[in-house]
Amino acid sequence: MKFFITGASSFIGVEICRYLADNGHQVIAMSRKENEQLNDIAKSGNLQVFYADMQNLMERAKDVKADIFVHLAWAGALLGQRDNQELQEGNIRFSLGCVELAKRMGCQLYVDAGSQAEYGIVPGTLTEDTPCNPVSAYGKTKLQMYHESCELTQKLGLKYIHLRILSVYGENDHPNTLIISSLRKLKNNEPIEMRSGGQKWNYVYVKDAARQIGELSLNAFAKEAFKREVYNIASNDTRKLQEFVEKMKELSGSYSTLSFGGYNQEKDVNLKPDTSKTTSIVKPLTEFCFEDVIKGML
């Protein structure tokens, strides 16, 4: 199978490329610049780095052929940029262009990356059918991308998967994420203060998330009757957010003091995903447990 992947040099993009290449699939990995990890994966012979950016991709990739298009690229994904309306709306235009590009490439399946931010504030369990009421411009734009891409893929005769990705973590994540920043503070015995910590949260290791995305894509491609679906990308390990931090402190042997606020049902995001739909296809859902990953990171 041949995959074309935008955002391939991102945290999760690299691991998707690695998983697919390691399992014998051909991968064309779009990247704006040199990436050491992608170059390393390319040594297997199953990955080609395709240099382009959002502005010139449509022209540069006009002669590329592929079977499955996985769209991960997204400007303004970091917390400080998520409410930049202009930046977020630019992603819509690019995403719809990618749907049309996938059709020109001869792809049968189009996959894009949504987010738990599409759900908004939901006290209960998140199923793929949970009504979405996003709060941030980021979540609203991801949801708009889903609706418009769903309509366009149907018009063009493409199969379609929309991924609602929850909290992915791992060794090469952004330094300001909760896991990475907490481990840094714990190592230095610095205090950790959180406005809230009582809400439910779900972390999925990046390698597990990549495998889920790969397996869901291959399953959809192989099924003739498949049309379009939404899948939660998550683990079955849901705990109170503060419990993850407390476990990291225990494993690190840190002397850091921890301080947590309560859970406000009306203001705090609560992540308790239903993974039964994804689990029906991806078995096992996860291969790595939180404690083992954190031990390795430490």
Side-chain angles (χ1 to χ4, degrees):
M1 207 67 62
K2 180 178 283 190
F3 288 76
F4 186 92
I5 301 178
T6 71
S9 60
S10 65
F11 173 51
I12 193 169
V14 167
E15 290 303 329
I16 295 173
C17 290
R18 193 189 314 279
Y19 174 78
L20 294 171
D22 285 349
N23 284 276
H25 300 286
Q26 295 297 310
V27 180
I28 304 173
M30 172 191 156
S31 179
R32 290 180 291 108
K33 55 186 178 181
E34 286 280 337
N35 181 279
E36 185 176 341
Q37 294 181 85
L38 291 178
N39 289 338
D40 185 60
I41 299 170
K43 294 175 184 177
S44 69
N46 289 335
L47 182 141
Q48 169 196 348
V49 181
F50 185 88
Y51 294 105
D53 57 32
M54 292 184 177
Q55 283 69 43
N56 62 23
L57 174 62
M58 307 306 164
E59 175 62 25
R60 296 210 61 200
K62 61 182 180 181
D63 297 322
V64 175
K65 298 298 179 184
D67 302 304
I68 298 174
F69 195 111
V70 181
H71 175 44
L72 304 174
W74 193 268
L78 298 178
L79 286 177
Q81 303 171 319
R82 289 190 171 198
D83 280 314
N84 184 323
Q85 190 70 37
E86 183 178 354
L87 185 62
Q88 296 302 331
E89 288 180 354
N91 289 305
I92 294 289
R93 296 188 293 273
F94 180 67
S95 298
L96 295 177
C98 284
V99 176
E100 295 177 343
L101 179 60
K103 180 66 176 180
R104 295 204 303 269
M105 286 181 174
C107 295
Q108 295 183 39
L109 172 66
Y110 181 80
V111 182
D112 63 20
S115 166
Q116 54 85 10
E118 295 172 60
Y119 290 118
I121 309 296
V122 181
T125 301
L126 301 171
T127 75
E128 287 85 351
D129 295 323
T130 296
C132 292
N133 188 23
V135 177
S136 66
Y138 174 77
K140 292 175 182 177
T141 310
K142 285 283 190 180
L143 184 60
Q144 182 182 346
M145 175 189 71
Y146 162 61
H147 288 307
E148 295 194 22
S149 295
C150 191
E151 182 178 334
L152 184 55
T153 52
Q154 184 174 9
K155 177 182 176 181
L156 296 178
L158 291 169
K159 298 177 180 181
Y160 177 45
I161 288 177
H162 182 67
L163 306 163
R164 294 230 169 97
I165 303 174
L166 276 79
S167 288
V168 180
Y169 76 103
E171 295 82 353
N172 297 308
D173 202 358
H174 192 275
N176 291 332
T177 58
L178 178 64
I179 296 291
I180 300 296
S181 63
S182 293
L183 287 176
R184 184 173 63 248
K185 290 179 180 179
L186 291 167
K187 180 180 178 181
N188 295 322
N189 296 312
E190 298 173 4
I192 295 177
E193 298 180 4
M194 295 174 57
R195 180 185 61 80
S196 60
Q199 68 269 51
K200 295 292 185 181
W201 210 259
N202 185 283
Y203 277 112
V204 57
Y205 184 46
V206 64
K207 290 184 182 295
D208 281 324
R211 182 172 58 84
Q212 290 177 27
I213 293 168
E215 292 303 304
L216 290 169
S217 299
L218 292 167
N219 174 76
F221 184 89
K223 286 189 173 180
E224 186 174 343
F226 186 94
K227 295 187 182 298
R228 57 196 53 85
E229 293 289 350
V230 177
Y231 293 102
N232 283 334
I233 301 299
S235 74
N236 286 326
D237 186 5
T238 297
R239 317 179 193 182
K240 287 184 178 180
L241 184 58
Q242 68 188 61
E243 291 175 4
F244 286 106
V245 180
E246 290 166 346
K247 178 57 67 175
M248 288 190 288
K249 177 182 176 179
E250 175 189 328
L251 294 172
S252 67
S254 174
Y255 295 102
S256 296
T257 58
L258 308 181
S259 176
F260 305 103
Y263 164 51
N264 187 321
Q265 182 171 307
E266 296 180 354
K267 294 183 178 180
D268 294 333
V269 173
N270 190 71
L271 298 185
K272 185 182 177 183
D274 182 326
T275 59
S276 57
K277 189 173 178 181
T278 303
T279 304
S280 69
I281 297 168
V282 183
K283 303 177 189 295
L285 182 69
T286 58
E287 295 180 337
F288 300 87
C289 76
F290 182 78
E291 284 77 5
D292 288 345
V293 174
I294 295 302
K295 287 177 185 178
M297 292 173 71
L298 286 168

